Amino acid sequence: MRKIGIPEIEDIALGAALLGAGGGGDPYVGKLIAIGAVQECGPVTILDPDEVPDDALVVPIAMMGAPTVLCEKAIGGEEYKTLYETVSAFYGKPIYAFMPIEAGGVNSMLPIAAAARLGLPLVDCDGMGRAFPELQMVTFTIGGGSATPMAMVDEKGNSCIFRTVTNKWTEEMARAVTMACGGSVSVSLYAMEGRFMKEYGVHGIVTRSETLGSAIRKVKEVSDKTPEEAFLEITEGYKLFQGKICDVLRDVRNGFNFGKVLLDGIGDDKGRSAYVEFQNENLTAVVDGKLLATTPDLICLVDIETFIPVPTDALKYGKRVMVVGLKCFPLWRTEAGLKLVGPRYFGVDTDYIPLEERCKGGC
Amino acid sequence: MRKIGIPEIEDIALGAALLGAGGGGDPYVGKLIAIGAVQECGPVTILDPDEVPDDALVVPIAMMGAPTVLCEKAIGGEEYKTLYETVSAFYGKPIYAFMPIEAGGVNSMLPIAAAARLGLPLVDCDGMGRAFPELQMVTFTIGGGSATPMAMVDEKGNSCIFRTVTNKWTEEMARAVTMACGGSVSVSLYAMEGRFMKEYGVHGIVTRSETLGSAIRKVKEVSDKTPEEAFLEITEGYKLFQGKICDVLRDVRNGFNFGKVLLDGIGDDKGRSAYVEFQNENLTAVVDGKLLATTPDLICLVDIETFIPVPTDALKYGKRVMVVGLKCFPLWRTEAGLKLVGPRYFGVDTDYIPLEERCKGGC
């Protein structure tokens, strides 16, 4: 158990934006929401998963929809209270703690805001260890957990609770409501008991985000390495490419940010070209026609000077970025994991080959 | 209080199909669902509104979506139990009786099926006195009633409850879920106390449907009148046109059946032409370029020989029909009523003029 305030939030936002793998929303917007709540209601208690009783009700909090929309259609602040009341009433017992469902610039931040506003602790655990675009894409699905009863609320005060026969049906129904409400809503889903969270969750994700964020911020202070070497070491990342963004194709539809970013090589990669395709999160990285990384491994674009992650929302012509691959949480590499989030699910016609094998002998 | 069985259901289905004003779905499909439930679970008790205690919980039951879809994607039978449990749990008290929300081939029948399956009475009252395509279009909206908490369930077992800030938002969100679930779902909405139902409901709608249905069936037995005269007398209808369907334009989108039916005059109307536009229900009737009737008055197409109503789903090239106008429930002609269901709401650029004035001096 420890308390986090504004400095920790800054680091968590930065680290989580990297783990967002291009998705998870703009950390600046997320940070403002979390900092606003902490300034108003005080610091938030972070619990280690093992500190949560087995039968306690733990509820993930997130936003659903296109992160791009959240910049203009913000969170009101009353949403978490409505979610708390709706879920508590449904289960007939109070919520013990909130938790994040994924790591990302926005969805790592909103649970902090919710915890601050309701005076509840936040568990250091999520269901992805990164960000993914659809809501059945969590380790809890592999464990047989149900996304529903799922509560949704918009900034106007409209709310609903779903119960569905599969998590894929939750996605279908919730996505439809998200679109009807203007493209982004606040949700609670996969409400679970402490014991299930401990068995299937990605432990330590808040702390990992904070550590990464802090290290990225200090990457130029490491004396015996270049900043790039230091960055790759702390993230355990594989450098896939470095280049200048020469085109960005975007298509916001069905509540997702679809697109493709094209890169012209610079430095060691001069004369080569690459592209990264995304559906909220980056899905594939292709260099000179060769596939170097696919989902569920993390494909992250970071600024070549500051190593600050560049989410898909912020991709712009002329920006110089490094494309980095990070290994995903081991459960995603199992057959059940790949069925949920492997390349074929996203329409990429290739088997999953782990990042480190694709990159063997140099990327 | 009285009991209804299969013969009454046949008459109610026929009369309600007329009051459906082209919408409300195929009475054949609706009838099968109601008869199936009554055969399995026994006859249904019909209550006069005044027999319902003021504080009793009365819950309308309906299907939402494109009636065309219901012919292929039917009702499972478990839906009403789920709706009952969901709504009872939400209010913390049992449902006293079901009621229809509108008159129509399907939505007059499903509450009978629900009442039979749950062993509850059905109140002889609805919220339209006809059918309308959107869910805020009920007399209860005029009375300040809320559509939510609204429960929805599909035949697969997916369910949800909404609470929204306005009834228009309920429509938006519920329509989105209806589409996600394949275009038709079972719903309960405008759950209300007995006293509110008595004040704003359209009393006697089940009995009116039954009386009309029975009379249509016997229209050729009236000795001193032609069948057409008898039909117009019992329905208090205005004959607007008679013709042969020469084209039907259809467009199933956003969960509605949109369209237009074109007619070439026959008999007295030979040489003239007409068209009727619809959004689930018939919206306007235009004869030789002159608007003769608009929503909220009822525009009904009936077979020229049998006087059986022809819902928009069943419109076919070559069919000979009479276009009849019926006066709507008085509350719809008030300013508040016309704001909800007047021609301008549906994009028809005309003021509402009552049917009987438009037809003065002959249609």
Side-chain angles (χ1 to χ4, degrees):
Chain A
M1 188 188 297
R2 64 190 176 100
K3 293 265 183 190
I4 59 165
I6 293 169
E8 291 83 3
I9 289 173
E10 297 271 4
D11 283 340
I12 296 168
L14 183 53
L18 184 75
L19 296 176
D26 184 340
Y28 181 71
V29 173
K31 207 168 76 175
L32 291 183
I33 296 168
I35 289 176
V38 166
Q39 274 176 339
E40 210 175 298
C41 311
V44 167
T45 300
I46 302 289
L47 293 183
D48 190 77
D50 295 328
E51 292 175 289
V52 177
D54 272 354
D55 62 348
L57 181 61
V58 183
V59 175
I61 293 283
M63 68 80 66
M64 181 163 181
T68 315
V69 170
L70 196 70
C71 303
E72 298 190 12
K73 178 174 168 300
I75 306 273
E78 289 298 305
E79 289 90 330
Y80 306 120
K81 189 160 164 283
T82 306
L83 289 175
Y84 178 89
E85 286 167 356
T86 307
V87 175
S88 295
F90 186 90
Y91 283 96
K93 71 177 183 181
I95 296 172
Y96 183 85
F98 288 134
M99 62 181 276
I101 193 73
E102 67 174 353
V106 167
N107 274 342
S108 290
M109 293 290 108
L110 302 188
I112 297 175
R117 291 201 180 275
L118 272 295
L120 288 184
L122 184 74
V123 188
D124 192 356
C125 181
D126 80 359
M128 299 189 200
R130 49 164 294 171
F132 278 120
E134 299 182 14
L135 65 72
Q136 76 281 8
M137 297 173 171
V138 288
T139 51
F140 306 122
T141 298
I142 298 174
S146 170
T148 64
M150 172 178 179
M152 308 180 73
V153 56
D154 75 3
E155 76 293 348
K156 293 172 283 292
N158 295 310
S159 68
C160 64
I161 314 188
F162 289 98
R163 272 190 294 180
T164 57
V165 290
T166 64
N167 291 347
K168 182 67 188 153
W169 269 109
T170 321
E171 164 67 25
E172 290 288 327
M173 292 172 75
R175 186 72 55 186
V177 173
T178 302
M179 292 304 294
C181 290
S184 82
V185 292
S186 300
V187 304
S188 81
L189 70 176
Y190 294 98
M192 68 190 90
E193 290 201 322
R195 72 169 65 78
F196 187 77
M197 177 269 296
K198 292 177 212 175
E199 186 172 352
Y200 288 99
V202 180
H203 290 220
I205 192 70
V206 178
T207 302
R208 187 173 179 216
S209 300
E210 189 181 340
T211 309
L212 281 173
S214 165
I216 292 170
R217 209 180 297 286
K218 293 173 192 152
V219 83
K220 290 187 181 165
E221 298 167 20
V222 180
S223 55
D224 58 341
K225 297 188 184 73
T226 67
E228 185 181 293
E229 284 167 353
F231 175 81
L232 292 173
E233 188 177 304
I234 53 153
T235 58
E236 300 177 51
Y238 290 75
K239 179 177 173 179
L240 304 178
F241 194 73
Q242 66 180 2
K244 195 187 84 165
I245 296 178
C246 58
D247 206 355
V248 187
L249 311 170
R250 290 180 193 283
D251 184 11
V252 177
R253 67 184 143 86
N254 301 335
F256 295 112
N257 301 343
F258 287 92
K260 185 175 181 176
V261 54
L262 284 75
L263 301 164
D264 280 337
I266 53 175
D268 295 346
D269 285 317
K270 199 165 171 67
R272 306 173 77 200
S273 67
Y275 67 82
V276 171
E277 288 185 298
F278 53 87
Q279 176 183 346
N280 286 13
E281 285 72 36
N282 297 317
L283 296 174
T284 56
V286 174
V287 176
D288 279 351
K290 190 184 165 205
L291 195 53
L292 287 189
T294 72
T295 172
D297 287 320
L298 287 69
I299 298 163
C300 311
L301 274 61
V302 299
D303 185 283
I304 216 158
E305 294 294 331
T306 62
F307 301 94
I308 289 184
V310 184
T312 53
D313 324 42
L315 296 169
K316 268 191 194 141
Y317 175 84
K319 200 165 179 64
R320 283 146 201 271
V321 294
M322 176 164 73
V323 184
V324 188
L326 307 187
K327 287 193 268 181
C328 64
F329 185 62
L331 204 52
W332 291 131
R333 295 182 167 196
T334 62
E335 195 183 327
L338 291 172
K339 202 173 149 197
L340 279 177
V341 295
R344 290 198 196 280
Y345 180 87
F346 292 100
V348 181
D349 189 21
T350 179
D351 287 332
Y352 171 71
I353 300 169
L355 174 68
E356 59 275 23
E357 286 180 35
R358 288 198 186 265
C359 291
K360 220 171 247 171
C363 297
Chain B
M1 188 188 298
R2 63 189 176 103
K3 292 266 183 188
I4 59 164
I6 294 170
E8 291 83 3
I9 289 174
E10 297 272 2
D11 283 341
I12 295 167
L14 182 54
L18 183 76
L19 297 175
D26 184 340
Y28 182 70
V29 173
K31 207 168 75 176
L32 291 184
I33 296 167
I35 289 176
V38 166
Q39 274 175 338
E40 209 176 302
C41 311
V44 166
T45 301
I46 302 289
L47 293 183
D48 190 78
D50 294 329
E51 292 174 287
V52 177
D54 272 355
D55 62 349
L57 181 60
V58 183
V59 175
I61 293 283
M63 68 80 66
M64 179 163 182
T68 314
V69 170
L70 196 69
C71 303
E72 299 190 13
K73 179 175 167 296
I75 306 272
E78 289 297 305
E79 289 90 330
Y80 306 120
K81 190 161 164 279
T82 306
L83 290 174
Y84 178 89
E85 286 167 357
T86 307
V87 175
S88 296
F90 187 90
Y91 283 95
K93 72 177 183 180
I95 296 173
Y96 182 85
F98 288 133
M99 63 181 275
I101 193 73
E102 66 175 353
V106 167
N107 273 342
S108 290
M109 293 290 109
L110 302 188
I112 298 175
R117 291 198 181 277
L118 272 297
L120 290 182
L122 183 76
V123 188
D124 193 358
C125 182
D126 79 359
M128 300 190 198
R130 51 162 293 171
F132 278 121
E134 298 181 15
L135 64 71
Q136 75 281 6
M137 298 174 169
V138 288
T139 50
F140 307 121
T141 299
I142 298 174
S146 169
T148 65
M150 172 179 179
M152 308 180 73
V153 57
D154 75 4
E155 75 294 346
K156 295 171 282 294
N158 295 310
S159 68
C160 65
I161 312 188
F162 289 97
R163 272 190 294 179
T164 58
V165 290
T166 64
N167 291 348
K168 182 67 187 151
W169 269 109
T170 320
E171 165 66 25
E172 290 287 328
M173 293 174 74
R175 186 71 55 186
V177 174
T178 301
M179 292 304 292
C181 291
S184 81
V185 293
S186 300
V187 304
S188 80
L189 69 178
Y190 292 99
M192 67 190 89
E193 290 199 323
R195 74 167 63 77
F196 188 77
M197 177 271 295
K198 292 177 211 176
E199 186 172 355
Y200 288 100
V202 180
H203 289 220
I205 192 70
V206 178
T207 302
R208 185 171 182 219
S209 300
E210 190 181 338
T211 309
L212 281 174
S214 165
I216 292 170
R217 208 180 297 286
K218 295 176 192 150
V219 84
K220 290 186 182 167
E221 299 167 20
V222 180
S223 54
D224 57 340
K225 295 189 185 73
T226 67
E228 185 180 293
E229 285 167 355
F231 174 83
L232 293 172
E233 187 177 306
I234 53 156
T235 58
E236 300 177 51
Y238 291 74
K239 179 176 174 181
L240 304 177
F241 194 72
Q242 67 181 1
K244 197 187 81 164
I245 296 177
C246 58
D247 206 355
V248 186
L249 310 169
R250 289 181 193 285
D251 185 10
V252 178
R253 66 185 145 87
N254 301 337
F256 296 112
N257 300 344
F258 286 93
K260 184 175 182 176
V261 54
L262 284 76
L263 301 164
D264 279 338
I266 54 176
D268 295 346
D269 284 317
K270 200 165 170 66
R272 306 173 77 200
S273 66
Y275 66 83
V276 172
E277 287 184 299
F278 54 87
Q279 176 184 345
N280 288 12
E281 286 71 36
N282 296 318
L283 296 174
T284 55
V286 174
V287 175
D288 279 349
K290 190 183 168 206
L291 195 54
L292 287 190
T294 71
T295 173
D297 287 321
L298 287 69
I299 298 162
C300 312
L301 275 60
V302 299
D303 185 284
I304 217 159
E305 293 294 330
T306 62
F307 301 94
I308 289 183
V310 184
T312 53
D313 324 44
L315 296 169
K316 271 192 192 139
Y317 175 84
K319 202 165 177 63
R320 283 145 201 271
V321 295
M322 177 163 74
V323 185
V324 188
L326 307 186
K327 287 192 268 181
C328 64
F329 184 63
L331 203 53
W332 291 131
R333 295 182 166 195
T334 62
E335 195 184 328
L338 291 171
K339 202 172 149 199
L340 278 178
V341 295
R344 291 197 196 280
Y345 180 87
F346 292 99
V348 182
D349 189 20
T350 179
D351 286 332
Y352 171 71
I353 299 170
L355 173 70
E356 59 276 22
E357 286 180 35
R358 287 197 187 266
C359 290
K360 219 172 249 171
C363 298

